[in-house]
Amino acid sequence: MRTSRNSRETAKAASAIHPHNLVEDVIPAESVFTKHSLTVAPATRLRNPKAKDGALVEHTRAGNRRPVKIDRYGSSESELSAPPSDIEDASYTSPPERATSLKRKRSAVASVKHETTSKTTNATGIRQSSRKPTSKIASSTPKKVVRQPAKRVSGPNGTLATSPPANWEEVYNLTVEMRKRVLAPVDTMGCESLAEDTRSPRDRRLQTLVALMLSSQTKDTVTAFAIRNLQQNLDAERGFCLEALLDVEPARLNELIAKVGFHNNKVKYIKATALILRDKFGGDIPDTIEGLVSLPGVGPKMAYLTMSAAWGRHEGIGVDVHVHRITNLWGWHKTNTPEQTRAQLEAWLPKDKWHDINALLVGFVGRKCGECVLSQRGLCPSAVVAKEVKKRVKKEVKVEMVNEGVVVKEEVKEELVEEDVLADATKVEESAKTDV
């Protein structure tokens, strides 16, 4: 945009009055104009004292010198090419070409700086961090096995079959070997071993059934004590038999079994069962699961265990809270009730192990993962493994000034211990605290 003739004449008059000290602020070509504002980087134009013709030299803000040409009217190139300094006149749309090129250069430099500071990008377009990946310290503990429960698969004839869990035989055999080294109460005081050998088969079956009824929510040692008390004190002449149970008073029976859990309810169940056995089953215990479950206080677990211990027939698995909890911790299945666990186990577990698995897992109590072979070999997905203990020693030196300038130094050590524990808590284990 060209300046007016009045401006040129005013500049010529000013130069004539002060030819050597002409100082004028002009708007350089580096000025950047935006739509709403005007940003000006003023440049100072001075006469060069070393020049013979007194040519003007324009000093930009960046420190660069640029000669200024004066036309025949006394107007400089900067005056003719510079945009107006008035804010109202800055509404034009096309800035000077030189300002646009410099603006592009500055934007290109800024983009290069931004690329150098940003994260690197590989050939596939995926952003990668410039940081070096930290190497993980290899752990000496075996990796935990992934839960692989039993699955329902289709057989060759279209029938559905259950595929057993992975490594179940190894887990079962190792458990048997560990149980051989530990003598549990169930091995010597289990319900199937409490009946008197000198009694008739009918009385032994009755004593086995009553022992299983008393064992609910009761430890094996307490159950064994209650059965011995019944055998010795129920009836001095007839001993522990059906007729003695029918004749004993409920209060006396309650005294004999007072150590077991829920003994008040169990007295009612035993007295009612004695009447049913006399009236419906000829004085003997039922020999079917349906008959045993019909007795008061007898559930599926007691029924299957009674069939195995009293009649020698293994028609199902007696699943109590121990079998239910441990098999879920092993990852053999994911069930919520013992009956669901029994159905899952009977679908794939060999029948010759149905009777032994209850006593095997009842004696396998007390979670000691640090001593368990399954945990050491990484076969138990729910193992609680304690990692190495890390110790940090913090040293401090105390300096005290005493009389006569003597300095006393005392070194204090403070040990900070950190211990990380990896635990896999399950709902089954939480429910076991109330069931056992």
Side-chain angles (χ1 to χ4, degrees), residues 281-293:
F281 297 99
D284 203 348
I285 67 173
D287 58 352
T288 61
I289 298 297
E290 293 78 8
L292 290 171
V293 175

Side-chain angles (χ1 to χ4, degrees), residues 180-194:
K180 291 179 180 179
R181 300 193 294 265
V182 178
L183 185 64
V186 69
D187 298 331
T188 57
M189 292 177 283
C191 294
E192 62 181 26
S193 62
L194 297 179

Side-chain angles (χ1 to χ4, degrees), residues 162-272:
T162 303
S163 176
N167 301 326
W168 76 268
E169 289 185 286
E170 184 179 2
V171 172
Y172 188 91
N173 295 332
L174 289 174
T175 305
V176 172
E177 294 298 325
M178 287 187 289
R179 283 284 283 108
K180 291 179 180 179
R181 300 193 294 265
V182 178
L183 185 64
V186 69
D187 298 331
T188 57
M189 292 177 283
C191 294
E192 62 181 26
S193 62
L194 297 179
E196 296 175 295
D197 298 334
T198 58
R199 306 292 295 191
S200 64
R202 190 193 72 160
D203 292 342
R204 289 200 301 269
R205 289 191 290 267
L206 176 64
Q207 293 181 11
T208 301
L209 175 60
V210 174
L212 286 168
M213 294 175 68
L214 296 179
S215 67
S216 177
Q217 304 293 323
T218 306
K219 295 182 179 180
D220 293 326
T221 54
V222 179
T223 302
F225 176 80
I227 291 296
R228 291 289 182 262
N229 199 12
L230 288 173
Q231 292 171 352
Q232 298 174 3
N233 302 314
L234 182 60
D235 194 309
E237 297 180 358
R238 293 174 292 184
F240 187 2
C241 61
L242 181 61
E243 291 75 18
L245 286 177
L246 291 171
D247 296 339
V248 68
E249 293 295 329
R252 174 58 179 167
L253 182 60
N254 196 2
E255 292 177 2
L256 295 175
I257 64 171
K259 298 297 183 180
V260 302
F262 304 97
H263 54 88
N264 294 323
N265 293 332
K266 292 177 181 179
V267 169
K268 301 176 184 179
Y269 296 154
I270 293 174
K271 292 294 290 184

Side-chain angles (χ1 to χ4, degrees), residues 263-322:
H263 54 88
N264 294 323
N265 293 332
K266 292 177 181 179
V267 169
K268 301 176 184 179
Y269 296 154
I270 293 174
K271 292 294 290 184
T273 298
L275 293 173
I276 295 174
L277 295 181
R278 183 193 65 182
D279 299 337
K280 293 184 177 181
F281 297 99
D284 203 348
I285 67 173
D287 58 352
T288 61
I289 298 297
E290 293 78 8
L292 290 171
V293 175
S294 65
L295 300 176
V298 178
K301 179 201 76 171
M302 294 183 190
Y304 287 113
L305 292 177
T306 302
M307 289 295 297
S308 298
W311 296 103
R313 301 205 308 265
H314 311 305
E315 298 185 2
I317 302 175
V319 177
D320 58 359
V321 65
H322 304 285

